Amino acid sequence: TWATLLLLATTIPWLWPGWARVGGELVRALTGLPEKPVSLISLVLAALFLVLPRPEDVYRIVERVQGVLLTFILGGVLVLMLLVSSGGAHSPKGFFQQLASGDGLMALVAQVTSSSGAPLLALVSGTVFAGAGGILNLGYGIVIRARGWGMDREALGREGARAEFREWMNFIRREHALLFVGGSCFTIVFVALIFYGLFGNRETLGGTLFLTEAITALGDRFTFLASWLFVAVALAVFFTSEIGILDFTSRTAAAVCREGLGIKTDSDTLVRSFVWSLVLGGSVLTIIDPRQPYWFLVTSAYLNTAAMALYGFMLLWLNRRLPEAARPGALSSLGLGLIATLYGALFVMVMTRSLG
């Protein structure tokens, strides 16, 4: 059934705790502490952050903490970008000129499509994780309902419902534009400019080692304050991502169980069960999987590529059952179909390259 597929696509890709392990690897590089115990501790701390507060307080606490940390992340990368770009040999102007030139963006695309190594992994990881995957959008819907926003099926039948629904959707679009397009895109651009300002076009170390290389470069070129600001921003990114993934994955999975599969267990119990199940599964994989932390991110990226394709095609099918007032228009459906096809093609390309 659709509910079973949605439950599997929601939970399985996030069993590999890539964000926790990359954060643990960064701590290992800075302190010498073993990476796996640090990663396991961060997983448990993220879970406790979600299950210790009263259920009615979790949304408020998570929203406030995430808001503070995301503001710090955006401000931190802006400060670092301006610092690195001031007076250096590699300016933002040079970055955008190279990107727009014939040897820039198209050369990168050509390298990616003919490669099975780092450029391909960067494309897939960036494509899927720019918005932390479709799971955050699904979780956003759960948050909206918990706030008492939105409209149910019966309400859509009354007079004036179409205008009210459109007004509500316009609000959602504005908030998405601010959070996803504004926050995510600007952060990605700033981070790209930081690394370009530090390294230019020269090749850097692979996996998570480029993070420690950037820390060293910032300390050598500026002061220890710049390098530690970078560390703080990086750890904030990893922690907020882990909290968001655990929270929204568990809440979405619980909603699917109750409403799609008819499970009668109360929602709070289901959410906490999924939180600890994800932590337990991630801990077991961390212990038994010998691969480096970066590959946990890559594994999640691979699986989420398939999940995103599934979400898109599933929505196209299920939207046909909506009341007419709530159905997306033809242009929106076309865009959704193109996006789902893109993710499907990415997944096929990745698996073809990975399997030889």
Side-chain angles (χ1 to χ4, degrees):
T1 63
W2 285 114
T4 302
L5 285 174
L6 181 58
L7 181 62
L8 293 174
T10 298
T11 54
I12 290 178
W14 298 114
L15 281 174
W16 283 262
W19 296 109
R21 290 210 61 192
V22 173
E25 176 66 14
L26 182 59
V27 172
R28 182 205 64 76
L30 295 172
T31 65
L33 295 172
E35 177 269 318
K36 287 191 176 183
V38 172
S39 300
L40 294 176
I41 290 171
S42 70
L43 266 177
V44 173
L45 288 177
L48 291 175
F49 181 82
L50 296 173
V51 301
L52 287 182
R54 296 182 305 171
E56 60 269 24
D57 294 333
V58 171
Y59 279 128
R60 176 175 52 83
I61 293 172
V62 170
E63 282 183 340
R64 288 182 179 179
V65 172
Q66 293 279 57
V68 170
L69 289 176
L70 290 172
T71 301
F72 169 71
I73 291 167
L74 186 59
V77 294
L78 175 60
V79 170
L80 288 169
M81 185 271 292
L82 293 174
L83 183 65
V84 170
S85 300
S86 60
H90 307 292
S91 66
K93 181 179 179 181
F95 173 83
F96 290 112
Q97 283 178 340
Q98 288 193 39
L99 195 64
S101 69
D103 294 330
L105 182 60
M106 296 313 298
L108 175 62
V109 172
Q111 185 184 18
V112 165
T113 55
S114 62
S115 170
S116 59
L120 178 63
L121 300 181
L123 171 68
V124 176
S125 301
T127 301
V128 176
F129 285 117
I135 186 64
L136 296 187
N137 254 336
L138 293 176
Y140 183 75
I142 306 296
V143 172
I144 289 171
R145 190 180 62 182
R147 288 173 172 173
W149 297 352
M151 304 174 67
D152 56 25
R153 181 180 292 269
E154 289 73 24
L156 286 168
R158 71 172 186 266
E159 184 178 354
R162 186 185 295 269
E164 187 177 341
F165 183 80
R166 285 176 177 169
E167 181 181 356
W168 176 68
M169 281 303 299
N170 286 334
F171 170 80
I172 299 301
R173 291 189 181 103
R174 287 193 299 270
E175 189 166 73
H176 268 56
L178 178 63
L179 294 178
F180 289 93
V181 179
S184 297
C185 290
F186 276 112
T187 303
I188 290 169
V189 170
F190 291 161
V191 170
L193 289 171
I194 289 170
F195 285 111
Y196 178 76
L198 289 174
F199 305 121
N201 293 326
R202 76 173 177 85
E203 189 171 342
T204 59
L205 298 175
T208 54
L209 295 177
F210 80 96
L211 292 176
T212 54
E213 189 177 4
I215 294 168
T216 302
L218 283 167
D220 292 342
R221 184 170 161 183
F222 302 103
T223 68
F224 75 95
L225 292 176
S227 59
W228 280 104
L229 176 59
F230 182 89
V231 170
V233 168
L235 291 177
V237 168
F238 300 141
F239 190 63
T240 55
S241 299
E242 197 62 45
I243 291 175
I245 288 167
L246 275 177
D247 185 37
F248 278 172
T249 299
S250 300
R251 294 188 183 282
T252 304
V256 172
C257 286
R258 283 179 57 84
E259 300 175 23
L261 299 177
I263 295 175
K264 302 302 182 183
T265 307
D266 70 276
S267 180
D268 292 331
T269 300
L270 283 172
V271 169
R272 291 165 185 257
S273 298
F274 276 112
V275 167
W276 288 118
S277 297
L278 288 167
V279 170
L280 178 61
S283 299
V284 170
L285 287 170
T286 296
I287 293 170
I288 67 174
D289 195 328
R291 295 180 301 168
Q292 294 298 314
Y294 176 71
W295 288 96
F296 272 52
L297 277 180
V298 172
T299 299
S300 281
Y302 283 175
L303 295 174
N304 270 296
T305 304
M308 291 292 285
L310 173 65
Y311 292 154
F313 290 123
M314 181 179 68
L315 284 172
L316 283 173
W317 177 261
L318 295 178
N319 283 345
R320 300 165 58 192
R321 304 181 186 179
L322 291 174
E324 184 178 353
R327 285 180 199 162
L331 189 59
S332 296
S333 297
L334 176 62
L336 180 59
L338 290 174
I339 292 170
T341 302
L342 170 64
Y343 277 112
L346 271 175
F347 179 70
V348 171
M349 183 177 71
V350 164
M351 294 309 297
T352 301
R353 301 283 172 78
S354 299
L355 297 175

